[in-house]
Amino acid sequence: MASLRCFLRSGKNAVTAVLRREFHGTPPAAVQVTVRDALNQAMDEELERDERVFLLGEEVAQYDGAYKVSRGLWKKYGDKRIIDTPITEMGFAGIAVGAAMAGLRPICEFMTFNFSMQAIDQVINSAAKTYYMSAGLQSVPIVFRGPNGASAGVAAQHSQCFAAWYGHCPGLKVVSPWSAEDARGLLKSAIRDDNPVVFLENELMYGVPFEMSEEVQSKDFLIPIGKAKIERQGNHITLVSHSRMVSLCLDAAAVLAKEGIECEVINMRTIRPLDAEAIETSIMKTNHLVTVEGGWPQFGIGAEILAWIMEGPAFNYLDAPAVRVTGVDIPMPYAKILEDNSIPQIKDIIFSVKKTLNV
């Protein structure tokens, strides 16, 4: 009986060893990572990689950030690398720009980009124009990051999308991630870039989990600034969007697919420089275009894309006028029912697609 137990035990151990070898020999499966954690990982890895990188802003240190994006960084890197500032955007943005000019690589967090209006002189006149005004002698490697666009129930002064504002200005790179992969890869690229980068996150996306592959989890993973991504293939119509609106486009595309309408969904990722080639290539395939954004319609991202297409080679491929889906041209109301009717919804995208296709 004892010998039988020994035989069974040895057989079990052999099987366990084989399974263990096979397990370790198999690449790890993709994991679920929220946008918040992806941003946190990107900053952590870049802080560790380059001692010139530091983070400053309101409540980023001891409180772990207003939205917990900088959670754990102060405990790991201390007061010199993770710096709490007073409530003075003009002041700490100016400090950050000066630090960048002196050879450091600051990440300047605005608690919301609505507050960046207090510091817009530093962002535009000091950061964006210095490289040009110094004839290329003085670079300003800085990242301005924080939540942008409409949140929920925070009314007119806290619900603006600044993509068009900053996208208008030469000297800046403007990034608007959607997924955890976007957030991780683009923030790492932004921190390593020698130009000022405006990095527009979205508060409502922070807690949304996305599948992240082993490749994306690598510390060497970067997404090049200026390259869009096709999130869904289609051949009937092109939907172009950025940030949270990409989610709505994908949801609308799923509904339309049940009716036989296949939408190609393009995640812009970068506002400036605009990846016009990706949009043009898609239009040449689908012959129709709808742009979707949360910002106001006048002089917006969609308006720029439509102008770009009209002036370029893809215009001759359009079988119908391109259409914009945007926020309503009013300050954001506080009441929820009015708020819902002031920003694009899935039904608005579906309506615009059917109108463009005349179905």
Side-chain angles (χ1 to χ4, degrees):
M1 192 69 180
S3 59
L4 178 60
R5 281 199 301 269
C6 289
F7 172 77
L8 292 174
R9 189 181 297 119
S10 63
K12 179 182 176 183
N13 290 341
V15 170
T16 302
V18 170
L19 290 174
R20 186 179 291 118
R21 283 197 302 273
E22 290 187 357
F23 174 79
H24 286 296
T26 304
V31 297
Q32 294 280 316
V33 178
T34 64
V35 172
R36 174 187 291 108
D37 288 341
L39 293 165
N40 181 274
Q41 291 171 11
M43 287 194 291
D44 186 11
E45 290 171 11
E46 294 306 303
L47 283 158
E48 184 177 297
R49 174 182 173 272
D50 189 341
E51 63 180 12
R52 296 173 297 172
V53 177
F54 71 98
L55 170 68
L56 80 167
E58 295 157 359
E59 299 183 348
V60 299
Q62 296 187 44
Y63 189 66
D64 281 340
Y67 301 99
K68 306 307 175 190
V69 174
S70 56
R71 182 173 48 210
L73 298 182
W74 174 67
K75 290 181 180 177
K76 182 173 181 179
Y77 296 102
D79 292 327
K80 288 187 177 181
R81 306 284 301 281
I82 313 296
I83 303 169
D84 278 330
T85 66
I87 304 175
T88 169
E89 282 77 14
M90 174 64 86
F92 68 74
I95 290 171
V97 171
M101 290 179 179
L104 300 178
R105 306 185 80 88
I107 306 167
C108 177
E109 177 180 308
F110 295 120
M111 191 178 291
T112 158
F113 260 93
N114 298 279
F115 301 155
S116 75
M117 293 174 67
Q118 301 287 336
I120 202 163
D121 180 63
Q122 299 288 3
V123 178
I124 305 301
N125 282 328
S126 297
K129 298 177 181 178
T130 295
Y131 186 73
Y132 172 81
M133 294 178 70
S134 67
L137 295 176
Q138 179 65 68
S139 60
V140 187
I142 184 171
V143 177
F144 300 100
R145 54 153 294 271
N148 168 70
S151 178
V154 291
Q157 294 178 331
H158 295 76
S159 300
Q160 297 159 122
C161 176
F162 285 86
W165 293 53
Y166 289 116
H168 180 65
C169 302
L172 292 176
K173 294 185 178 181
V174 182
V175 176
S176 183
W178 166 62
S179 66
E181 176 181 321
D182 293 350
R184 177 177 169 79
L186 286 167
L187 184 53
K188 289 171 72 72
S189 291
I191 294 169
R192 298 185 191 188
D193 202 292
D194 288 332
N195 301 281
V197 180
V198 172
F199 197 89
L200 303 170
E201 302 155 14
N202 187 281
E203 179 185 341
L204 297 179
M205 294 301 298
Y206 281 148
V208 178
F210 288 86
E211 194 171 86
M212 188 178 285
S213 67
E214 183 184 12
E215 177 192 1
V216 177
Q217 295 172 54
S218 166
K219 290 185 178 182
D220 297 322
F221 177 76
L222 300 171
I223 294 175
I225 293 173
K227 292 294 182 183
K229 181 184 180 184
I230 297 176
E231 299 290 350
R232 180 187 177 114
Q233 297 280 350
N235 53 20
H236 293 142
I237 191 166
T238 300
L239 302 181
V240 181
S241 189
H242 68 96
S243 190
R244 193 174 76 89
M245 291 297 124
V246 176
S247 294
L248 273 67
C249 287
L250 289 170
D251 290 343
V255 173
L256 289 162
K258 296 176 181 177
E259 302 179 31
I261 299 172
E262 292 298 333
C263 302
E264 183 144 294
V265 179
I266 296 181
N267 170 14
M268 293 176 67
R269 284 181 163 175
T270 305
I271 305 300
R272 185 183 184 106
L274 178 68
D275 189 357
E277 182 181 354
I279 300 171
E280 288 173 347
T281 301
S282 180
I283 291 171
M284 290 175 182
K285 178 174 71 171
T286 67
N287 309 117
H288 300 88
L289 172 65
V290 172
T291 65
V292 184
E293 63 187 303
W296 294 313
Q298 289 205 39
F299 316 106
I301 302 301
E304 175 64 17
I305 293 172
L306 266 59
W308 200 299
I309 296 304
M310 188 174 68
E311 296 167 354
F315 177 70
N316 293 321
Y317 288 80
L318 285 174
D319 288 342
V323 173
R324 292 178 296 159
V325 178
T326 71
V328 177
D329 197 23
I330 58 170
M332 181 66 74
Y334 175 70
K336 185 177 187 331
I337 188 168
L338 296 178
E339 179 185 73
D340 290 344
N341 282 280
S342 298
I343 53 179
Q345 305 293 331
I346 295 170
K347 61 181 177 60
D348 301 318
I349 301 171
I350 293 172
F351 174 82
S352 293
V353 167
K354 291 184 174 181
K355 175 184 174 182
T356 304
L357 294 174
N358 196 29
V359 295

